[in-house]
Amino acid sequence: MRRYLGIFLTFARACLVRDMTFRANFLLECVTSLGWMSMNLAFYLLVFTFTPEIGRGTGWTREPFFAFVATGLIVNSIVQAFFMPSAEELTEMVRSGGLDSVLVQPLDAQFLLSLHRVEYSSLANGLVGVGLLGWAVSRFTAPPPAIAWLLYPLLVACGVAILYALIIMLAAATILLGRNQSLYDFWFYLTNFSRYPAEIYAGPWGGPIRMICTFVIPILLVVNVPARVIAQPFSAGSWTPIGGAVLAAAVMLVVSRLVFQAALAKYRSASS
Amino acid sequence: MSETAARPFAGLRAWWTMLSICIEERLAYRGDFILGTAMRFLPIVTQVFLWTAVFGATARGDIAGYSRDDIVAYYLLTMVARAFSSMPGLAGGIARSVRDGSIKKYLVQPVDYVGYLLAARIAHKLVYYLVAALPFAAIFFVCRGFFPPLPDATTVAAFVLSLVLSFLLGFFMEATLGMLGFWFLEVSSVIFAYMLVQYLLSGHMFPIDMLTGIPTGIPGVSLADLVRWLPFEYTAYFPAAVWLGKVRGWALVRALAIEAGWVVAMALCCRLAWRRGTRRYSAFGG
């Protein structure tokens, strides 16, 4: 474990040196990533000029909703910074046979493939997320209880774990399909479902979507559970989704590991 | 004499060859392609639920002239428009071939690079429509209740024309952007910034009419007016607005003429960038 931590820190250091070598590009990446985020925030502000709440009686008025958005920013920025850049490279590695050189290393392939690149510019959004969360919470009529603040980082970690497991499964799909340029698209579209409060998925179509995105692909637990803990009143009933998120994170990590191993066993080298 | 007579046919044959090569290339990785096509519909689903929740929480019957059904129909129609105007990988591909030197093969061959790219893109789109026709038809059938009654033939014709023009506009805008690669080694951030602006100002994110009440600081000019001075709305908002009957009569003719004007302007920009760019280009790579 210590060895892996040491190797990860070496990767992280190398990526930092690389990012700092191309400082202008790094700054530009931060700016564009912040631009994307600001655009979404502007959209939500626009939406709130037409309505006081997202869904009648859901409690997602402006400030709680922005706390929700902030949570999404924090979770996604961690995933984008630490796991997504490596997974994106995998597509080309499978196609060109570059994966072979990873498989012969005396290290765990999943570790190497999912953690060898860190994109520091993605953390910019997370920092803004923290600021936005602080702003939104300071405007709540009732501040969140201490237990909510204690649980929040744990649930954010669970959200990150669920998304990481999904990335690993998509990576496995890449290995099986031979090429998966849609990996990133698929990721974007799938995580799209987690961007809004679960309550909006109601009615004859919404109900099944909510069930699938909670119990089959637990994408709705990623942002919803930590955001609810911080932005909605805490009650005895809050423990069920919290337990669900922790359980889902654990199950997803194990399943993704198994799927990834099975996919690697089927990998046929593309290089000569 | 015979050589000049044969030339147009030779050009056509070259185009046809390029087209068929590109179609085969697109079909080589079918699994990935079909997956990618099907996935494109997912964001619409979340948008529909979001707006349903918004309408559920407010007493208003319409927002900026759109009922909830109109908004659903609008998003579905912008999907059709984006299927024409979006050019995934075009700008990045051009910039990459400039950077890695592979563009020089087009410089030494008697092939017009922009023409080649256009043929490749038409092939790309044809295959895309072939694959996407079924999911598109299915979704529009399921969602038919959200649409107003079918518009008249003139509106449908204007809609088709706006789509064709949006394809050309999208192509030339992105190709021009890719040619920035002649001047800057790394243009991925510029492309990303363009995509952001495009997403926000094309009406892909929300109908531009929603910006009507937002002041800009210029007296009498709303944010919607400012956005309408730019070409982006023609790549998503405009075709959808035509189908929904938001633009009619002379305003429609005028808007189509402006769209055609933008296509010509961007095509000229693209040619100019190519000519200037190739003049300063020095080949890298073996």
Side-chain angles (χ1 to χ4, degrees), chain A residues 90-91 93-95 99 103 109-110 113 168-180 183 259-269:
Chain A
L90 179 69
T91 304
M93 285 170 97
V94 171
R95 207 177 67 82
L99 183 58
L103 296 179
Q110 185 177 331
L113 288 172
I168 291 302
M169 286 198 246
L170 286 176
T174 303
I175 295 170
L176 290 174
L177 283 175
R179 166 160 123 164
N180 188 3
L183 179 84
V259 170
F260 189 76
Q261 300 283 8
L264 271 190
K266 290 229 164 106
Y267 171 68
R268 286 170 302 153
S269 170

Side-chain angles (χ1 to χ4, degrees), chain A residues 25 28-29 32-33 35-36 39-40 43-44 46-47 49-56 65 95 177 179-183 185-186 188-190 192-193 196 200-202 205-206 209, chain B residues 29 31-33 35-36 39-40 42-43 45-47 49-51 53-60 63-64 75 142 186 188-190 192-193 196-197 199-200 205-206 210-211 214:
Chain A
N25 190 58
L28 212 58
E29 276 175 5
T32 46
S33 147
W36 172 253
M39 204 178 74
N40 278 304
F43 172 63
Y44 299 137
L46 181 72
V47 167
T49 62
F50 301 121
T51 181
E53 204 176 11
I54 304 280
R56 192 185 292 268
F65 183 76
R95 207 177 67 82
L177 283 175
R179 166 160 123 164
N180 188 3
Q181 281 196 329
S182 326
L183 179 84
D185 294 353
F186 184 78
F188 175 78
Y189 294 142
L190 199 64
N192 211 34
F193 281 97
Y196 298 117
I200 71 164
Y201 302 105
W205 291 92
I209 289 181
Chain B
Y29 297 95
D32 181 43
F33 190 47
L35 190 71
M39 288 300 117
R40 286 191 182 200
L42 288 180
V45 179
T46 48
Q47 288 293 334
F49 282 109
L50 175 72
W51 284 105
V54 168
F55 274 98
T58 171
R60 351 167 30 134
I63 291 174
Y75 276 115
V142 170
E186 184 54 61
S188 58
S189 296
V190 182
F192 188 75
L196 284 188
V197 174
Y199 187 56
L200 184 67
M205 206 173 184
F206 52 84
M210 286 186 183
L211 300 174
I214 300 176

Side-chain angles (χ1 to χ4, degrees), chain B residues 92-180:
Chain B
I94 297 174
R96 194 172 49 245
S97 57
V98 172
R99 198 173 56 233
D100 67 17
S102 59
I103 205 163
K104 64 180 175 284
K105 74 177 176 218
Y106 301 100
L107 294 172
V108 295
Q109 283 173 4
V111 175
D112 169 40
Y113 184 57
V114 179
Y116 164 76
L117 288 176
L118 189 60
R121 201 41 65 161
I122 291 171
H124 174 130
K125 291 289 180 193
L126 285 178
V127 178
Y128 175 69
Y129 302 142
L130 210 69
V131 179
L134 204 66
F136 261 95
I139 287 186
F140 274 75
F141 181 75
V142 170
C143 299
R144 65 192 182 283
F146 295 113
F147 283 83
L150 268 183
D152 57 74
T154 321
T155 309
V156 175
F159 173 71
V160 173
L161 181 61
S162 73
L163 287 179
V164 174
L165 289 173
S166 80
F167 164 77
L168 292 170
L169 184 59
F171 174 82
F172 286 117
M173 283 207 288
E174 282 230 9
T176 311
L177 195 68
M179 282 174 198
L180 286 181

Side-chain angles (χ1 to χ4, degrees), chain B residues 7-35:
Chain B
R7 213 171 254 170
F9 295 104
L12 260 180
R13 215 170 39 235
W15 250 70
W16 177 248
T17 313
M18 289 191 280
L19 196 70
S20 37
I21 289 173
C22 294
I23 287 179
E24 276 176 34
E25 195 189 337
R26 293 296 309 167
L27 287 173
Y29 297 95
R30 288 172 297 270
D32 181 43
F33 190 47
I34 291 171
L35 190 71

Side-chain angles (χ1 to χ4, degrees), chain A:
Chain A
M1 190 66 194
R2 259 183 94 169
R3 177 166 159 247
Y4 278 93
L5 187 67
I7 294 169
F8 172 68
L9 289 176
T10 313
F11 285 149
R13 204 176 307 124
C15 292
L16 187 64
V17 170
R18 181 181 174 276
D19 273 353
M20 289 306 112
T21 314
F22 305 105
R23 266 187 295 274
N25 190 58
F26 173 77
L27 281 176
L28 212 58
E29 276 175 5
C30 288
V31 169
T32 46
S33 147
L34 290 173
W36 172 253
M37 184 212 55
S38 327
M39 204 178 74
N40 278 304
L41 292 183
F43 172 63
Y44 299 137
L45 278 175
L46 181 72
V47 167
F48 277 104
T49 62
F50 301 121
T51 181
E53 204 176 11
I54 304 280
R56 192 185 292 268
T58 55
W60 293 113
T61 50
R62 203 168 79 147
E63 281 75 22
F65 183 76
F66 275 100
F68 181 98
V69 173
T71 308
L73 285 173
I74 295 168
V75 172
N76 279 306
S77 80
I78 297 172
V79 172
Q80 295 279 356
F82 294 103
F83 309 120
M84 208 56 207
S86 310
E88 276 181 295
E89 277 180 15
L90 179 69
T91 304
E92 196 50 34
M93 285 170 97
V94 171
R95 207 177 67 82
S96 63
L99 183 58
D100 301 10
S101 61
V102 172
L103 296 179
V104 296
Q105 305 279 343
L107 280 170
D108 183 66
Q110 185 177 331
F111 165 79
L112 256 182
L113 288 172
S114 57
L115 277 164
H116 72 272
R117 266 201 66 188
V118 181
E119 209 171 85
Y120 289 94
S121 57
S122 298
L123 291 173
N125 273 0
L127 290 177
V128 175
V130 172
L132 185 64
L133 183 71
W135 171 84
V137 170
S138 72
R139 294 172 70 102
F140 285 177
T141 41
I147 182 81
W149 284 115
L150 281 174
L151 285 169
Y152 187 75
L154 168 77
L155 293 169
V156 165
C158 287
V160 171
I162 291 172
L163 292 185
Y164 170 73
L166 275 174
I167 291 179
I168 291 302
M169 286 198 246
L170 286 176
T174 303
I175 295 170
L176 290 174
L177 283 175
R179 166 160 123 164
N180 188 3
Q181 281 196 329
S182 326
L183 179 84
Y184 194 78
D185 294 353
F186 184 78
W187 166 258
F188 175 78
Y189 294 142
L190 199 64
T191 52
N192 211 34
F193 281 97
S194 69
R195 284 172 56 189
Y196 298 117
E199 286 87 346
I200 71 164
Y201 302 105
W205 291 92
I209 289 181
R210 190 170 170 177
M211 294 298 272
I212 292 170
C213 291
T214 306
F215 296 105
V216 184
I217 309 171
I219 197 86
L220 272 181
L221 303 179
V222 171
V223 185
N224 269 276
V225 180
R228 284 194 78 77
V229 163
I230 213 82
Q232 301 276 6
F234 198 86
S235 66
S238 305
W239 288 103
T240 317
I242 293 169
V246 175
L247 184 70
V251 170
M252 286 288 286
L253 283 177
V254 172
V255 170
S256 65
R257 174 85 187 164
L258 293 175
V259 170
F260 189 76
Q261 300 283 8
L264 271 190
K266 290 229 164 106
Y267 171 68
R268 286 170 302 153
S269 170
S271 66
S272 52

